[in-house]
């Protein structure tokens, strides 16, 4: 029997020779089995104490024991929706800052005064886009603006045939948004939704701050693309996180608040623009 190889399933090791040196390689391993059972029971107990994301969210705001504070939830949820509230400003602000009123100007050159003298229609109709663009009047040479507040369209001369350049500042934002949506979807799966959302929020913030110091049309056009690349993935990331970390009983309310933030943000930018026009 000494030459009979030991049963490996009964040994607490991989080396048969080492086990034989212990004295009794064929003895049942009751001690090891007891330790294994104890470890399994401890792991099961630890698993039972772990909370799912749903349970953790419900417990954090008291939803698990009917102690839910609705106002607390709305305040926390709205705090997370602040980037979405600012979304309409990024989209629509070039419309207001690039607005042109072709009636707010007056003649400064002899050529312009001659045109006004020979104008046969109602005098108030002379100060119009047709007069300015049809006669190729040049700003600061043939006329000057009388509008109190300036804009990039006035400063950079984006009038008449160059109005399309101002339109590019509005539309190229969505070019960046198109690219950003594809990049955002890849990054959401690659590095996680939370990390990606923080990155795109930072991109939107920094590019928006940079636009306030730009004094060049082409650089502003580039920054508008960067803004779009950061803005729309931000909205998607916040939307996904709001669904994941909202109690199941309040998800309909959360989505309602999320949708209203865009609309409310649009009204805010209109009100601010109206107040400073």
């Amino acid at each position: 029997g000494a030459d009979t190889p030991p049963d490996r399933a009964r040994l607490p090791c991989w080396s048969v020779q080492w086990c034989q040196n212990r004295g009794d390689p064929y003895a049942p391993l009751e001690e090891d089995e007891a330790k294994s059972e104890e470890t399994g029971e401890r792991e099961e107990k630890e698993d039972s104490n772990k909370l799912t994301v749903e349970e953790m969210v419900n417990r954090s705001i008291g939803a698990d024991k009917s102690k839910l504070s609705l106002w607390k939830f709305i305040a926390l949820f709205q705090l997370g929706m602040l980037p979405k509230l600012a979304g309409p400003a990024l989209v629509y602000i070039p419309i207001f800052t690039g607005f042109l009123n072709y009636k707010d100007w007056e003649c400064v050159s002899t050529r312009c005064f001659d045109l006004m003298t020979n104008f046969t229609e109602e005098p108030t109709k002379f100060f119009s886009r047709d007069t300015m663009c049809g006669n190729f009047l040049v700003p600061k040479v043939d006329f000057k603006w009388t509008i109190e507040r300036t804009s990039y369209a006035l400063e950079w001369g984006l009038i008449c045939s160059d109005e399309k350049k101002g339109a590019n500042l509005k539309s190229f934002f969505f070019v960046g948004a198109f690219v950003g949506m594809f990049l955002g979807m890849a990054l959401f799966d690659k590095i996680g939704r939370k990390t990606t959302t923080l990155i795109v929020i930072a991109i939107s913030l920094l590019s928006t701050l940079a636009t306030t110091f730009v004094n060049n049309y082409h650089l502003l056009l580039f920054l508008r693309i960067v803004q779009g690349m950061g803005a729309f993935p931000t909205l998607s990331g916040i939307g996904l996180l709001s669904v994941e970390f909202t109690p199941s009983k309040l998800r309909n309310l959360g989505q309602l608040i999320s949708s209203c933030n865009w609309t409310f943000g649009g009204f805010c930018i209109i009100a601010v623009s109206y107040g400073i026009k």
Side-chain angles (χ1 to χ4, degrees):
D3 296 332
T4 303
D7 185 0
R8 290 175 181 268
R10 298 173 57 197
L11 300 179
C13 58
W14 290 102
S15 173
V16 176
Q17 185 63 36
W18 182 83
C19 290
Q20 290 176 342
N21 294 334
R22 294 177 59 186
D24 185 9
Y26 302 103
L29 306 178
E30 292 86 355
E31 181 180 352
D32 294 331
E33 292 176 357
K35 290 181 179 179
S36 178
E37 292 178 359
E38 182 180 352
T39 302
E41 292 176 357
R42 184 169 61 252
E43 291 178 352
E44 290 180 0
K45 185 176 181 180
E46 291 177 354
D47 291 338
S48 64
N49 293 330
K50 292 180 180 178
L51 296 176
T52 64
V53 174
E54 177 78 12
E55 293 170 341
M56 181 179 65
V57 171
N58 288 341
R59 179 172 296 185
S60 65
I61 61 174
D64 56 337
K65 297 182 179 180
S66 301
K67 297 179 180 179
L68 173 64
S69 173
L70 185 60
W71 291 109
K72 178 182 177 182
F73 166 75
I74 292 176
L76 291 174
F77 194 89
Q78 182 58 41
L79 183 63
M81 289 291 111
L82 288 179
K84 193 168 186 178
L85 185 66
L90 298 179
V91 177
Y92 302 128
I93 201 165
I95 299 176
F96 300 101
T97 57
F99 175 74
L100 277 174
N101 190 346
Y102 282 97
K103 296 181 180 180
D104 297 330
W105 59 279
E106 61 183 15
C107 293
V108 296
S109 69
T110 304
R111 176 170 172 263
C112 182
F113 281 114
D114 290 342
L115 289 173
M116 185 169 59
T117 303
N118 298 325
F119 191 71
T120 57
E121 298 182 26
E122 186 178 347
T124 56
K125 294 183 179 180
F126 175 79
F127 298 98
S128 64
R129 185 183 186 279
D130 293 337
T131 302
M132 182 186 298
C133 301
N135 295 281
F136 303 101
L137 298 180
V138 181
K140 298 181 182 180
V141 176
D142 296 314
F143 71 93
K144 67 177 182 179
W145 297 102
T146 59
I147 189 171
E148 295 181 0
R149 296 187 180 276
T150 185
S151 69
Y152 66 81
L154 299 181
E155 293 180 357
W156 297 340
L158 304 183
I159 62 175
C160 298
S161 60
D162 287 334
E163 282 185 17
K164 59 185 179 182
K165 293 184 178 181
N168 289 339
L169 292 174
K170 306 176 184 71
S171 59
F172 271 53
F173 175 87
F174 295 98
V175 174
F178 180 79
V179 176
M181 287 297 290
F182 283 98
L183 293 178
M185 287 187 293
L187 291 176
F188 285 146
D189 294 331
K190 186 70 174 179
I191 62 177
R193 288 180 285 274
K194 180 180 178 181
T195 303
T196 302
T197 301
L198 292 175
I199 291 174
V200 292
I201 288 176
I203 291 174
S204 297
L205 177 62
L206 295 177
S207 60
T208 301
L209 290 175
T211 57
T212 61
F213 303 100
V214 170
N215 196 26
N216 180 275
Y217 168 77
H218 295 94
L219 183 56
L220 181 59
L221 190 65
F222 170 75
L223 289 175
R224 287 291 293 166
I225 297 175
V226 176
Q227 278 183 326
M229 293 178 63
F232 272 67
T234 296
L235 301 179
S236 300
I238 291 176
L240 291 171
L241 291 174
S242 66
V243 172
E244 292 181 353
F245 293 97
T246 300
S248 55
K249 295 181 180 180
L250 295 175
R251 280 177 184 162
N252 289 337
L253 176 61
Q255 290 304 303
L256 176 63
I257 297 174
S258 176
S259 301
C260 289
N261 267 271
W262 181 274
T263 305
F264 183 68
F267 281 112
C268 288
I269 187 64
I270 293 173
V272 171
S273 300
Y274 182 81
I276 63 175
K277 68 176 182 177

